Amino acid sequence: MRTLGVNSRLKPFGATIFAEMTALAVKHGAFNLGQGAPDFDGPEFVKEAAIKAIRDGRGQYARMTGLPELTKAIAERFEKTSGLSYEPERDIVVTCGATEAIVDCISSLIEIGDEVVMFEPFYDSYPAAVAMAGGAAKVVTLEAPEFRIDEAALRAAITPRSRVLMINSPHNPSGRILDDAERAIVARVATEFDLIVISDEVYEELWYETRHRTLVTEPGMRERTIVLGSLGKSFSFTGWKVGWAIAPAPLAAAVRSAHQFATFCAPTPLQVAAAAGLSAPESYFNEFRAEYRARRDRMVSGLRACGLRCDSPQGSYFALADHSEFGFADDYAFCRHLVEHGGVAAIPPGAFYLNKQKARTLVRFAFCKKDATIDGALERLAKYRNRFDSGEFAAAGTTNAASV
Ligand SMILES: Cc1ncc(COP(=O)(O)O)c(C=O)c1O
Protein backbone atom coordinates (compact mmCIF):
# COMPACT_ATOMS: atom_id res chain seq x y z
CA MET A 1 0.00 0.00 0.00
CA ARG A 2 1.17 3.52 -0.71
CA THR A 3 2.15 5.80 2.16
CA LEU A 4 -0.95 7.79 2.97
CA GLY A 5 -0.71 11.50 3.58
CA VAL A 6 0.62 14.76 2.32
CA ASN A 7 3.01 14.84 -0.65
CA SER A 8 6.64 15.90 -0.46
CA ARG A 9 5.94 19.37 -1.85
CA LEU A 10 3.60 20.34 0.99
CA LYS A 11 5.09 18.24 3.78
CA PRO A 12 7.71 20.83 4.84
CA PHE A 13 4.95 23.36 5.60
CA GLY A 14 3.31 21.32 8.39
CA ALA A 15 0.36 22.89 10.21
CA THR A 16 0.08 26.67 10.48
CA ILE A 17 1.07 28.42 13.70
CA PHE A 18 -2.30 30.20 13.65
CA ALA A 19 -4.08 26.97 14.56
CA GLU A 20 -1.65 26.30 17.42
CA MET A 21 -1.85 29.82 18.84
CA THR A 22 -5.64 29.92 18.57
CA ALA A 23 -5.89 26.57 20.40
CA LEU A 24 -3.51 27.87 23.10
CA ALA A 25 -5.53 31.09 23.38
CA VAL A 26 -8.70 29.06 24.02
CA LYS A 27 -6.94 26.72 26.46
CA HIS A 28 -5.52 29.58 28.54
CA GLY A 29 -8.49 31.95 28.22
CA ALA A 30 -6.20 34.47 26.52
CA PHE A 31 -7.01 37.67 24.66
CA ASN A 32 -6.33 36.69 21.09
CA LEU A 33 -4.21 39.21 19.20
CA GLY A 34 -2.87 36.39 17.04
CA GLN A 35 -4.87 35.84 13.92
CA GLY A 36 -5.60 38.92 11.79
CA ALA A 37 -9.35 38.57 12.06
CA PRO A 38 -11.47 41.39 13.51
CA ASP A 39 -13.43 40.47 16.67
CA PHE A 40 -16.17 42.86 15.51
CA ASP A 41 -18.54 42.73 12.61
CA GLY A 42 -18.29 44.58 9.30
CA PRO A 43 -20.72 47.35 8.32
CA GLU A 44 -24.50 46.82 8.51
CA PHE A 45 -25.15 48.07 4.96
CA VAL A 46 -22.93 45.34 3.55
CA LYS A 47 -24.55 42.67 5.73
CA GLU A 48 -28.01 43.87 4.69
CA ALA A 49 -27.04 43.62 1.03
CA ALA A 50 -25.98 39.98 1.55
CA ILE A 51 -29.18 39.14 3.44
CA LYS A 52 -31.30 40.77 0.73
CA ALA A 53 -29.43 38.89 -2.01
CA ILE A 54 -30.16 35.59 -0.24
CA ARG A 55 -33.85 36.54 0.22
CA ASP A 56 -34.03 37.60 -3.43
CA GLY A 57 -33.03 34.10 -4.47
CA ARG A 58 -29.53 34.87 -5.66
CA GLY A 59 -28.37 31.45 -4.58
CA GLN A 60 -26.92 29.96 -7.76
CA TYR A 61 -23.45 30.03 -9.26
CA ALA A 62 -22.25 33.47 -10.23
CA ARG A 63 -20.61 34.28 -13.54
CA MET A 64 -17.22 32.56 -13.41
CA THR A 65 -15.22 35.78 -13.68
CA GLY A 66 -17.30 37.56 -11.02
CA LEU A 67 -20.77 39.11 -10.87
CA PRO A 68 -20.97 41.97 -13.37
CA GLU A 69 -22.04 44.40 -10.63
CA LEU A 70 -18.99 43.43 -8.55
CA THR A 71 -16.36 43.55 -11.30
CA LYS A 72 -17.75 46.98 -12.21
CA ALA A 73 -17.58 48.16 -8.57
CA ILE A 74 -13.99 46.85 -8.23
CA ALA A 75 -12.94 48.69 -11.40
CA GLU A 76 -14.63 51.91 -10.25
CA ARG A 77 -13.07 51.79 -6.77
CA PHE A 78 -9.62 51.06 -8.21
CA GLU A 79 -9.96 53.92 -10.67
CA LYS A 80 -10.91 56.23 -7.80
CA THR A 81 -7.87 55.30 -5.72
CA SER A 82 -5.28 54.85 -8.50
CA GLY A 83 -6.54 56.93 -11.42
CA LEU A 84 -6.20 53.87 -13.67
CA SER A 85 -9.06 52.43 -15.63
CA TYR A 86 -9.55 48.70 -16.21
CA GLU A 87 -12.18 46.89 -18.25
CA PRO A 88 -14.36 45.03 -15.69
CA GLU A 89 -15.37 42.14 -17.95
CA ARG A 90 -11.89 41.51 -19.27
CA ASP A 91 -9.40 42.57 -16.61
CA ILE A 92 -10.94 41.49 -13.31
CA VAL A 93 -11.38 38.06 -11.72
CA VAL A 94 -13.33 37.58 -8.47
CA THR A 95 -11.96 34.77 -6.30
CA CYS A 96 -12.61 33.07 -2.94
CA GLY A 97 -10.44 35.48 -1.02
CA ALA A 98 -7.09 36.86 -2.13
CA THR A 99 -5.63 33.53 -1.02
CA GLU A 100 -7.33 31.77 -3.93
CA ALA A 101 -6.14 34.52 -6.26
CA ILE A 102 -2.54 33.89 -5.12
CA VAL A 103 -2.86 30.17 -5.86
CA ASP A 104 -4.55 30.89 -9.22
CA CYS A 105 -1.82 33.34 -10.22
CA ILE A 106 1.08 31.08 -9.36
CA SER A 107 -0.44 27.90 -10.74
CA SER A 108 -1.40 29.53 -14.02
CA LEU A 109 1.81 31.49 -14.61
CA ILE A 110 4.78 29.30 -13.75
CA GLU A 111 6.17 26.15 -15.29
CA ILE A 112 7.48 23.34 -13.09
CA GLY A 113 10.87 24.42 -11.75
CA ASP A 114 10.34 28.14 -12.34
CA GLU A 115 11.36 30.47 -9.54
CA VAL A 116 9.13 32.91 -7.74
CA VAL A 117 10.99 35.70 -5.97
CA MET A 118 9.41 36.99 -2.78
CA PHE A 119 10.40 39.03 0.24
CA GLU A 120 10.39 37.66 3.76
CA PRO A 121 8.56 38.17 6.04
CA PHE A 122 5.78 37.02 3.67
CA TYR A 123 2.12 36.09 3.95
CA ASP A 124 2.55 32.41 4.70
CA SER A 125 0.54 31.11 1.75
CA TYR A 126 3.06 32.49 -0.81
CA PRO A 127 5.71 29.74 -0.58
CA ALA A 128 3.04 27.07 -0.15
CA ALA A 129 1.32 28.24 -3.35
CA VAL A 130 4.65 28.08 -5.17
CA ALA A 131 5.35 24.58 -3.83
CA MET A 132 1.87 23.35 -4.85
CA ALA A 133 2.56 24.58 -8.39
CA GLY A 134 5.92 22.79 -8.54
CA GLY A 135 7.95 25.99 -8.44
CA ALA A 136 10.76 27.16 -6.20
CA ALA A 137 10.52 30.12 -3.81
CA LYS A 138 13.54 32.44 -3.85
CA VAL A 139 13.46 34.60 -0.76
CA VAL A 140 14.96 38.04 -0.16
CA THR A 141 15.00 39.18 3.46
CA LEU A 142 13.63 42.58 4.41
CA GLU A 143 15.93 43.31 7.32
CA ALA A 144 14.35 44.46 10.59
CA PRO A 145 13.65 47.02 11.87
CA GLU A 146 13.37 49.03 8.61
CA PHE A 147 12.02 46.23 6.38
CA ARG A 148 13.17 48.14 3.28
CA ILE A 149 13.77 46.65 -0.15
CA ASP A 150 17.47 46.47 -0.96
CA GLU A 151 18.05 46.57 -4.72
CA ALA A 152 21.32 44.62 -4.63
CA ALA A 153 19.76 41.84 -2.54
CA LEU A 154 16.78 41.66 -4.90
CA ARG A 155 19.00 41.50 -7.99
CA ALA A 156 21.12 38.78 -6.39
CA ALA A 157 18.04 36.56 -6.01
CA ILE A 158 17.12 36.66 -9.71
CA THR A 159 18.21 33.85 -12.03
CA PRO A 160 17.24 32.84 -15.58
CA ARG A 161 14.46 30.68 -14.01
CA SER A 162 12.85 33.65 -12.23
CA ARG A 163 9.39 34.28 -13.63
CA VAL A 164 7.33 36.02 -10.96
CA LEU A 165 8.06 38.61 -8.26
CA MET A 166 5.68 38.93 -5.31
CA ILE A 167 5.24 42.21 -3.48
CA ASN A 168 3.04 43.07 -0.50
CA SER A 169 2.28 46.64 0.52
CA PRO A 170 0.88 47.67 2.98
CA HIS A 171 2.88 44.83 4.45
CA ASN A 172 1.88 42.00 6.72
CA PRO A 173 3.48 41.70 9.28
CA SER A 174 5.70 44.84 9.41
CA GLY A 175 2.99 47.40 8.61
CA ARG A 176 5.35 49.14 6.17
CA ILE A 177 4.24 50.83 2.97
CA LEU A 178 6.69 50.81 0.05
CA ASP A 179 8.00 54.31 -0.55
CA ASP A 180 8.64 55.94 -3.95
CA ALA A 181 12.23 54.70 -4.13
CA GLU A 182 11.26 51.10 -3.35
CA ARG A 183 8.42 51.07 -5.87
CA ALA A 184 10.90 52.39 -8.43
CA ILE A 185 13.33 49.55 -7.57
CA VAL A 186 10.59 46.97 -8.10
CA ALA A 187 9.64 48.52 -11.44
CA ARG A 188 13.26 48.78 -12.60
CA VAL A 189 14.12 45.19 -11.70
CA ALA A 190 10.85 43.68 -12.95
CA THR A 191 11.12 45.36 -16.34
CA GLU A 192 14.83 44.63 -16.70
CA PHE A 193 14.36 40.91 -15.97
CA ASP A 194 10.94 40.67 -17.60
CA LEU A 195 9.20 39.44 -14.44
CA ILE A 196 5.47 39.24 -13.86
CA VAL A 197 4.63 40.98 -10.58
CA ILE A 198 1.93 39.92 -8.15
CA SER A 199 1.22 43.00 -6.07
CA ASP A 200 -0.67 41.93 -2.97
CA GLU A 201 -2.48 45.09 -1.92
CA VAL A 202 -5.15 43.53 0.30
CA TYR A 203 -4.51 46.21 2.98
CA GLU A 204 -4.91 49.00 0.38
CA GLU A 205 -7.55 50.83 2.42
CA LEU A 206 -5.61 50.47 5.68
CA TRP A 207 -3.03 53.23 5.49
CA TYR A 208 -2.51 55.96 8.06
CA GLU A 209 -0.19 58.96 7.62
CA THR A 210 1.43 57.60 4.45
CA ARG A 211 -0.96 57.05 1.57
CA HIS A 212 -0.81 53.65 -0.10
CA ARG A 213 -0.03 53.82 -3.80
CA THR A 214 -0.50 50.88 -6.09
CA LEU A 215 2.56 49.54 -7.82
CA VAL A 216 0.76 49.67 -11.17
CA THR A 217 1.33 53.39 -11.55
CA GLU A 218 5.12 52.85 -11.89
CA PRO A 219 6.56 52.96 -15.41
CA GLY A 220 6.31 49.67 -17.27
CA MET A 221 4.32 47.99 -14.52
CA ARG A 222 0.77 48.04 -15.78
CA GLU A 223 1.35 45.45 -18.48
CA ARG A 224 3.10 43.01 -16.13
CA THR A 225 1.32 43.43 -12.78
CA ILE A 226 -1.58 41.61 -11.12
CA VAL A 227 -3.04 43.55 -8.20
CA LEU A 228 -4.82 41.59 -5.47
CA GLY A 229 -7.58 42.95 -3.22
CA SER A 230 -9.82 41.51 -0.49
CA LEU A 231 -13.24 42.30 0.89
CA GLY A 232 -12.14 40.64 4.12
CA LYS A 233 -9.62 43.38 4.86
CA SER A 234 -11.43 46.46 3.58
CA PHE A 235 -14.78 45.58 5.14
CA SER A 236 -13.85 43.41 8.14
CA PHE A 237 -15.48 40.28 6.77
CA THR A 238 -12.50 37.93 6.64
CA GLY A 239 -14.78 34.89 6.79
CA TRP A 240 -16.66 35.83 3.63
CA LYS A 241 -13.59 35.07 1.53
CA VAL A 242 -14.25 37.38 -1.38
CA GLY A 243 -11.13 38.61 -3.13
CA TRP A 244 -10.09 39.71 -6.60
CA ALA A 245 -7.31 40.10 -9.11
CA ILE A 246 -6.96 43.12 -11.41
CA ALA A 247 -4.64 42.62 -14.37
CA PRO A 248 -4.05 43.37 -18.04
CA ALA A 249 -6.05 41.08 -20.33
CA PRO A 250 -3.49 38.26 -20.93
CA LEU A 251 -2.68 37.97 -17.22
CA ALA A 252 -6.34 38.13 -16.18
CA ALA A 253 -7.04 35.35 -18.69
CA ALA A 254 -4.29 33.25 -17.07
CA VAL A 255 -5.72 33.76 -13.57
CA ARG A 256 -9.18 32.88 -14.88
CA SER A 257 -7.89 29.64 -16.41
CA ALA A 258 -6.94 28.40 -12.93
CA HIS A 259 -9.89 30.00 -11.12
CA GLN A 260 -12.47 28.25 -13.33
CA PHE A 261 -11.25 24.86 -12.09
CA ALA A 262 -10.16 25.85 -8.55
CA THR A 263 -13.51 27.18 -7.30
CA PHE A 264 -15.32 28.43 -10.46
CA CYS A 265 -16.89 31.31 -8.51
CA ALA A 266 -17.08 33.04 -5.15
CA PRO A 267 -20.42 32.87 -3.26
CA THR A 268 -23.05 34.86 -5.18
CA PRO A 269 -24.84 36.71 -2.34
CA LEU A 270 -21.51 37.79 -0.87
CA GLN A 271 -20.44 39.16 -4.24
CA VAL A 272 -23.64 41.22 -4.34
CA ALA A 273 -22.78 42.58 -0.89
CA ALA A 274 -19.17 43.22 -1.88
CA ALA A 275 -20.43 45.38 -4.75
CA ALA A 276 -22.53 47.38 -2.30
CA GLY A 277 -19.52 47.80 -0.02
CA LEU A 278 -17.12 48.95 -2.72
CA SER A 279 -19.68 51.47 -3.95
CA ALA A 280 -19.75 53.16 -0.52
CA PRO A 281 -19.01 56.88 -0.37
CA GLU A 282 -15.49 58.02 0.49
CA SER A 283 -16.72 58.86 4.01
CA TYR A 284 -16.95 55.11 4.76
CA PHE A 285 -13.28 54.58 3.90
CA ASN A 286 -12.19 57.69 5.79
CA GLU A 287 -14.04 56.58 8.92
CA PHE A 288 -12.71 53.05 8.54
CA ARG A 289 -9.16 54.38 8.46
CA ALA A 290 -9.74 56.76 11.38
CA GLU A 291 -11.05 53.92 13.54
CA TYR A 292 -8.08 51.75 12.69
CA ARG A 293 -5.67 54.56 13.31
CA ALA A 294 -7.08 54.97 16.81
CA ARG A 295 -6.71 51.21 17.39
CA ARG A 296 -3.14 51.34 16.12
CA ASP A 297 -2.20 54.21 18.44
CA ARG A 298 -3.82 52.46 21.41
CA MET A 299 -1.94 49.27 20.64
CA VAL A 300 1.47 50.80 19.93
CA SER A 301 1.53 53.08 22.97
CA GLY A 302 0.41 50.18 25.18
CA LEU A 303 3.12 47.90 23.82
CA ARG A 304 5.77 50.55 24.34
CA ALA A 305 4.56 51.11 27.91
CA CYS A 306 5.20 47.39 28.51
CA GLY A 307 8.77 47.66 27.27
CA LEU A 308 8.24 46.21 23.81
CA ARG A 309 10.02 48.28 21.15
CA CYS A 310 7.61 48.89 18.31
CA ASP A 311 7.58 51.18 15.28
CA SER A 312 4.19 52.62 14.51
CA PRO A 313 2.89 50.71 11.46
CA GLN A 314 2.22 52.85 8.38
CA GLY A 315 -0.51 50.50 7.21
CA SER A 316 -2.25 47.12 7.73
CA TYR A 317 -3.58 46.08 11.14
CA PHE A 318 -0.45 44.54 12.59
CA ALA A 319 2.08 45.85 15.06
CA LEU A 320 5.45 44.15 14.93
CA ALA A 321 7.31 44.51 18.23
CA ASP A 322 10.70 43.49 19.58
CA HIS A 323 10.56 41.28 22.69
CA SER A 324 14.32 40.98 23.26
CA GLU A 325 14.06 42.80 26.63
CA PHE A 326 12.39 39.68 27.98
CA GLY A 327 15.35 37.49 27.11
CA PHE A 328 13.63 34.57 25.44
CA ALA A 329 15.45 32.22 23.08
CA ASP A 330 13.20 33.04 20.16
CA ASP A 331 9.80 34.27 19.01
CA TYR A 332 8.10 30.88 19.45
CA ALA A 333 9.35 30.60 23.05
CA PHE A 334 8.16 34.12 23.85
CA CYS A 335 4.71 33.64 22.30
CA ARG A 336 4.13 30.27 23.98
CA HIS A 337 5.19 31.69 27.36
CA LEU A 338 3.12 34.82 26.90
CA VAL A 339 -0.08 32.99 26.05
CA GLU A 340 0.32 30.57 28.95
CA HIS A 341 1.56 32.92 31.65
CA GLY A 342 0.42 36.29 30.39
CA GLY A 343 -2.96 35.40 28.89
CA VAL A 344 -2.26 37.14 25.56
CA ALA A 345 -1.96 35.33 22.24
CA ALA A 346 0.32 36.77 19.53
CA ILE A 347 2.02 35.30 16.48
CA PRO A 348 5.70 34.36 16.28
CA PRO A 349 6.75 35.94 12.97
CA GLY A 350 9.03 32.99 12.22
CA ALA A 351 5.87 31.72 10.51
CA PHE A 352 6.53 34.35 7.82
CA TYR A 353 10.19 33.52 7.23
CA LEU A 354 12.19 30.73 5.62
CA ASN A 355 15.22 32.05 7.55
CA LYS A 356 13.49 31.70 10.89
CA GLN A 357 16.40 33.03 12.93
CA LYS A 358 15.70 36.46 11.40
CA ALA A 359 12.47 36.58 13.39
CA ARG A 360 13.90 35.52 16.76
CA THR A 361 13.32 38.81 18.56
CA LEU A 362 10.02 39.72 16.88
CA VAL A 363 6.38 39.29 17.85
CA ARG A 364 3.27 40.25 15.87
CA PHE A 365 0.13 41.65 17.48
CA ALA A 366 -3.07 42.13 15.46
CA PHE A 367 -5.00 45.26 16.41
CA CYS A 368 -8.14 44.59 14.35
CA LYS A 369 -9.87 44.21 17.72
CA LYS A 370 -12.45 45.95 19.90
CA ASP A 371 -11.05 48.58 22.27
CA ALA A 372 -12.01 46.28 25.17
CA THR A 373 -9.91 43.45 23.70
CA ILE A 374 -6.91 45.71 23.10
CA ASP A 375 -7.20 47.25 26.57
CA GLY A 376 -7.68 43.86 28.22
CA ALA A 377 -4.65 42.45 26.43
CA LEU A 378 -2.53 45.49 27.30
CA GLU A 379 -3.53 45.28 30.97
CA ARG A 380 -2.43 41.65 31.02
CA LEU A 381 0.79 42.50 29.21
CA ALA A 382 1.53 45.16 31.83
CA LYS A 383 0.98 42.61 34.61
CA TYR A 384 3.14 40.12 32.74
CA ARG A 385 5.86 42.76 32.52
CA ASN A 386 5.64 43.42 36.28
CA ARG A 387 5.88 39.73 37.08
CA PHE A 388 8.83 39.49 34.72
CA ASP A 389 10.51 42.47 36.40
CA SER A 390 9.94 40.98 39.83
CA GLY A 391 11.89 37.91 38.71
CA GLU A 392 8.94 35.55 39.01
CA PHE A 393 9.51 33.86 35.68
CA ALA A 394 13.29 33.70 36.08
CA ALA A 395 12.79 32.05 39.48
CA ALA A 396 10.55 29.48 37.83
CA GLY A 397 13.37 28.84 35.35
CA THR A 398 11.13 29.83 32.46
CA THR A 399 12.80 32.93 31.20
CA ASN A 400 16.07 34.66 30.52
CA ALA A 401 18.25 33.88 27.61
CA ALA A 402 18.57 30.46 26.15
CA SER A 403 16.99 28.61 29.06
CA VAL A 404 13.51 28.98 27.54
C1 LIG B 1 -0.73 39.90 2.84
C2 LIG B 1 -1.97 39.08 2.74
N1 LIG B 1 -2.38 38.68 1.53
C3 LIG B 1 -3.50 37.95 1.37
C4 LIG B 1 -4.27 37.59 2.45
C5 LIG B 1 -5.48 36.74 2.23
O1 LIG B 1 -6.63 37.44 2.06
P1 LIG B 1 -8.03 36.68 2.00
O2 LIG B 1 -8.52 36.52 3.40
O3 LIG B 1 -8.88 37.56 1.15
O4 LIG B 1 -7.80 35.35 1.37
C6 LIG B 1 -3.87 37.98 3.74
C7 LIG B 1 -4.65 37.57 4.92
O5 LIG B 1 -4.20 37.60 6.03
C8 LIG B 1 -2.69 38.74 3.88
O6 LIG B 1 -2.26 39.15 5.08
Side-chain angles (χ1 to χ4, degrees):
M1 187 177 163
R2 283 178 196 280
T3 313
L4 301 178
V6 65
N7 67 22
S8 58
R9 292 195 306 285
L10 277 179
K11 203 171 205 156
F13 294 93
T16 81
I17 189 71
F18 298 98
E20 181 191 342
M21 291 313 298
T22 300
L24 286 174
V26 172
K27 181 174 169 197
H28 297 293
F31 284 105
N32 194 349
L33 304 185
Q35 195 170 32
D39 65 351
F40 48 84
D41 225 352
E44 281 301 312
F45 74 96
V46 181
K47 278 162 67 175
E48 286 304 325
I51 292 163
K52 181 169 184 309
I54 292 171
R55 291 224 166 91
D56 287 350
R58 302 193 68 176
Q60 308 307 328
Y61 295 126
R63 186 179 67 173
M64 183 271 282
T65 57
L67 275 188
E69 63 219 84
L70 178 54
T71 51
K72 181 167 170 285
I74 292 166
E76 284 172 0
R77 178 75 201 150
F78 195 66
E79 182 160 7
K80 220 184 236 180
T81 57
S82 71
L84 298 168
S85 115
Y86 281 82
E87 167 56 50
E89 311 278 310
R90 192 193 56 198
D91 303 337
I92 291 174
V93 190
V94 175
T95 55
C96 292
T99 307
E100 189 216 318
I102 291 163
V103 173
D104 293 346
C105 289
I106 303 285
S107 60
S108 65
L109 293 171
I110 68 166
E111 302 294 346
I112 304 287
D114 277 353
E115 291 171 356
V116 176
V117 180
M118 62 185 73
F119 294 96
E120 64 176 6
F122 42 64
Y123 173 50
D124 57 346
S125 81
Y126 294 175
V130 174
M132 285 193 280
K138 287 290 290 276
V139 166
V140 182
T141 305
L142 298 171
E143 298 288 347
E146 285 88 12
F147 298 99
R148 291 185 60 81
I149 292 180
D150 177 76
E151 183 164 358
L154 173 57
R155 284 175 179 276
I158 293 167
T159 76
R161 293 297 320 239
S162 304
R163 175 131 179 90
V164 172
L165 172 62
M166 299 187 77
I167 300 292
N168 170 218
S169 179
H171 185 231
N172 170 15
S174 75
R176 270 215 68 229
I177 289 179
L178 294 183
D179 64 21
D180 294 351
E182 291 170 293
R183 288 199 315 279
I185 291 173
V186 171
R188 198 156 54 233
V189 172
T191 47
E192 185 178 327
F193 293 97
D194 197 18
L195 303 174
I196 297 166
V197 179
I198 300 172
S199 187
D200 180 341
E201 302 182 9
V202 296
Y203 299 102
E204 64 198 320
E205 305 288 358
L206 282 160
W207 50 266
Y208 306 111
E209 291 78 11
T210 309
R211 194 187 187 94
H212 159 74
R213 291 193 192 288
T214 178
L215 190 69
V216 188
T217 48
E218 296 301 312
M221 292 312 285
R222 182 172 173 143
E223 59 265 37
R224 62 179 66 250
T225 303
I226 304 171
V227 177
L228 306 183
S230 172
L231 181 84
K233 311 300 177 187
S234 302
F235 291 88
S236 312
F237 288 120
T238 57
W240 286 21
K241 295 301 287 187
V242 176
W244 52 86
I246 307 175
L251 291 176
V255 177
R256 218 173 274 141
S257 70
H259 166 70
Q260 64 184 337
F261 298 120
T263 59
F264 186 76
C265 67
T268 306
L270 305 184
Q271 291 198 51
V272 175
L278 287 166
S279 309
E282 209 49 42
S283 55
Y284 163 77
F285 296 96
N286 291 336
E287 243 170 71
F288 176 73
R289 263 190 285 282
E291 285 168 10
Y292 266 100
R293 191 174 160 166
R295 289 184 190 109
R296 177 201 64 174
D297 292 345
R298 205 179 194 92
M299 186 83 228
V300 169
S301 59
L303 290 175
R304 286 176 180 164
C306 296
L308 289 148
R309 277 200 311 276
C310 178
D311 284 339
S312 193
Q314 297 170 312
S316 84
Y317 46 49
F318 301 109
L320 197 57
D322 183 309
H323 61 77
S324 31
E325 282 247 329
F326 291 84
F328 283 83
D330 65 24
D331 48 332
Y332 290 88
F334 176 69
C335 288
R336 288 189 179 117
H337 192 269
L338 178 64
V339 68
E340 186 178 344
H341 299 277
V344 177
I347 292 293
F352 312 125
Y353 284 82
L354 292 190
N355 300 300
K356 301 214 178 286
Q357 77 285 357
K358 296 271 182 190
R360 278 183 58 232
T361 62
L362 302 174
V363 52
R364 191 195 79 172
F365 297 94
F367 57 83
C368 45
K369 309 291 172 183
K370 292 178 194 139
D371 287 353
T373 308
I374 296 176
D375 290 347
L378 289 172
E379 237 171 73
R380 286 195 182 173
L381 261 174
K383 281 193 193 135
Y384 179 80
R385 173 80 211 200
N386 288 340
R387 289 167 66 197
F388 173 84
D389 287 344
S390 71
E392 184 181 334
F393 299 138
T398 49
T399 187
N400 278 343
S403 64
V404 183

